[in-house]
């Protein structure tokens, strides 16, 4: 199970003297972080409770915002774990940043994956880039116009059989 923390980065002061808050997701002892785009004075943050102190006039709204973000992150982690998918903290953060909406269900999967790889090369490790490239290539050959809304168990089973028929080893199909 991954853990989720909110960190007040006192090592990164802003020009106004405040310090940024980061959300940290730790999975398999590997931390990943994203900025919450919130900054507080040092005395306004309770690092033990991971909450904004009452000294800040907006403490209720900020704490609510932080709790909502943590709840969404926890839900993403729960869904990943219930589906038995292996993941790293960065995967959780990316799923949070790019939520699936009704409009995105009409998005072409291959185009989406290609755009994701192109726009995030610094966030992807070399093995992830290779895996994405291989997936995009195989998927483009099999179903170049596949929409998110068309992803279902039947498609995945058929795609798995296709990959086996072209000689992919079982352990390379995930």
């Amino acid at each position: 199970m991954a853990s989720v923390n909110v960190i007040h980065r006192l090592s990164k002061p802003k020009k106004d003297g405040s310090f940024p808050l980061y959300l940290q997701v730790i999975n398999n002892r590997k931390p990943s972080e994203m900025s919450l785009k919130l900054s507080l004075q040092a005395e306004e943050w309770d690092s033990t409770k991971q909450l904004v102190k009452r000294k800040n006039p907006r403490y209720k709204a900020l704490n609510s915002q932080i709790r909502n973000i943590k709840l969404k992150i926890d839900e993403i982690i729960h869904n990943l774990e219930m589906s038995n998918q292996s993941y790293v903290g960065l995967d959780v953060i990316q799923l949070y940043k790019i939520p699936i909406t009704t409009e995105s269900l009409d998005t072409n999967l291959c185009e989406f994956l290609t755009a994701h790889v192109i726009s995030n090369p610094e966030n992807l490790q070399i093995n992830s880039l290779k895996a994405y490239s291989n997936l995009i290539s195989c998927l483009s050959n099999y179903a170049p116009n596949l929409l998110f809304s068309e992803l279902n168990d039947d498609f995945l089973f058929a795609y798995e059989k296709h990959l086996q028929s072209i000689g992919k080893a079982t352990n390379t199909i995930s």
Side-chain angles (χ1 to χ4, degrees):
M1 176 87 181
S3 63
V4 180
N5 301 304
V6 179
I7 299 168
H8 196 207
R9 283 271 179 247
L10 299 176
S11 60
K12 295 186 177 186
K14 297 182 100 183
K15 290 180 182 178
D16 65 359
S18 65
F19 301 91
L21 289 175
Y22 283 82
L23 182 101
Q24 181 184 61
V25 178
I26 303 172
N27 191 31
N28 296 329
R29 292 186 237 156
K30 295 180 183 171
S32 297
E33 295 181 355
M34 78 170 189
S35 171
L36 292 179
K37 296 183 172 64
L38 299 171
S39 296
L40 300 170
Q41 298 299 319
E43 65 276 1
E44 295 176 330
W45 180 250
D46 184 330
S47 59
T48 306
K49 294 179 182 176
Q50 296 185 9
L51 293 171
V52 179
K53 292 180 181 177
R54 291 177 183 239
K55 293 177 182 179
N56 185 301
R58 296 183 49 233
Y59 79 96
K60 284 184 181 179
L62 292 172
N63 284 335
S64 177
Q65 184 178 354
I66 291 166
R67 269 193 296 277
N68 287 337
I69 292 169
K70 286 179 77 172
L71 279 172
K72 288 177 186 173
I73 293 289
D74 285 338
E75 181 182 0
I76 291 167
I77 291 168
H78 175 75
N79 290 339
L80 287 169
E81 290 184 356
M82 294 305 292
S83 67
N84 290 324
Q85 288 182 289
S86 63
Y87 65 93
V88 294
L90 186 59
D91 296 328
V92 174
I93 290 169
Q94 288 174 340
L95 285 169
Y96 173 79
K97 288 182 176 180
I98 308 170
I100 295 178
T101 63
T102 359
E103 296 83 36
S104 66
L105 290 175
D106 292 331
T107 302
N108 179 298
L109 182 61
C110 293
E111 291 173 5
F112 173 83
L113 291 171
T114 302
H116 174 68
V117 170
I118 290 170
S119 64
N120 291 299
E122 68 282 352
N123 293 330
L124 299 172
Q125 295 179 352
I126 191 75
N127 288 340
S128 297
L129 286 170
K130 288 178 185 176
Y132 273 122
S133 296
N134 188 34
L135 171 64
I136 293 166
S137 174
C138 290
L139 200 53
S140 293
N141 290 333
Y142 181 71
N145 299 317
L146 178 69
L147 303 177
F148 274 101
S149 59
E150 298 169 331
L151 278 177
N152 56 37
D153 289 342
D154 292 336
F155 172 82
L156 294 175
F157 288 127
Y159 183 57
E160 181 178 15
K161 285 183 181 180
H162 164 73
L163 292 174
Q164 290 170 340
S165 74
I166 61 171
K168 296 286 184 184
T170 304
N171 65 342
T172 64
I173 301 171
S174 54

